[in-house]
Amino acid sequence: MCGYARLELLDNHRYHTGMTDQPSHIVAAVATLPLPDTGGGQDQVREVTVEWLRSLRSASTRRAYHHDLVVWLWWCDRTGLDPLAADRADVDLWIAGLTGASTTLARRRYAVASWYDHLGAAGLIAMNPARPAFRTRPNQNDS
C-alpha cells in the first residue's frame, strides 16, 4: 500500500481550492496523490500524471478528472491494490461500490481510463483496465 489512504484527500474544499490552471498547482495537486512505485520510483507516474492533467483543455474537466483519480487511487490504497496491476474486474468493483448519477460514474470511469491511456503511451502499463473489452459481432456468414 502507498500509505496515503486519508479521507482528507477527498475533502471537496481542499480539492477545489488546491488546483488551478497554474502549472505549479497541477504539480502540487499530483504530489498529494497516492501513486504506486514503478520500481524506479514514483517520479515516472507523477510526470505522466502531470502531463495528462495539463493536456486537458478545460479547467473544470481538469479538476473533475483529478478528483476522479483521487477517488480511484484512494480506493486502490484502501483495498491494497497496486493501481498499475489493476484489471477490468477491479475497476468494475470500484465503480459498483460508488454512488451517484450514472453520468458521474461514467465520467469517473472515463477519467481513470484516460489516465491509464497516458500511462500506457509512456510504457508504464501494458493494458488499460478501465477500458471496456471490444466485442466483435459474430460474422453472419460463419453460421
Side-chain angles (χ1 to χ4, degrees), residues 36-116:
D37 189 336
T38 59
Q42 296 174 330
D43 290 345
Q44 290 177 303
V45 178
R46 289 195 194 287
E47 287 172 16
V48 171
T49 303
V50 166
E51 291 308 313
W52 167 65
L53 288 169
R54 284 182 179 163
S55 75
L56 302 170
R57 287 182 246 152
S58 162
S60 61
T61 300
R62 190 175 300 114
R63 282 190 302 272
Y65 280 22
H66 174 262
H67 182 68
D68 296 337
L69 183 61
V70 166
V71 173
W72 165 244
L73 293 173
W74 180 83
W75 184 85
C76 289
D77 191 57
R78 188 173 54 91
T79 61
L81 175 67
D82 177 353
L84 298 183
D87 61 23
R88 175 69 190 263
D90 296 319
V91 175
D92 289 345
L93 184 63
W94 169 63
I95 291 290
L98 296 175
T99 58
S102 60
T103 54
T104 300
L105 300 180
R107 189 206 63 226
R108 286 197 170 154
R109 179 185 289 274
Y110 187 83
V112 170
S114 174
W115 178 64
Y116 277 116

Side-chain angles (χ1 to χ4, degrees), residues 2-14:
C2 299
Y4 291 90
R6 299 181 201 150
L7 285 174
E8 63 264 20
L9 289 175
L10 300 176
D11 180 297
N12 281 333
H13 178 71
R14 179 176 169 191

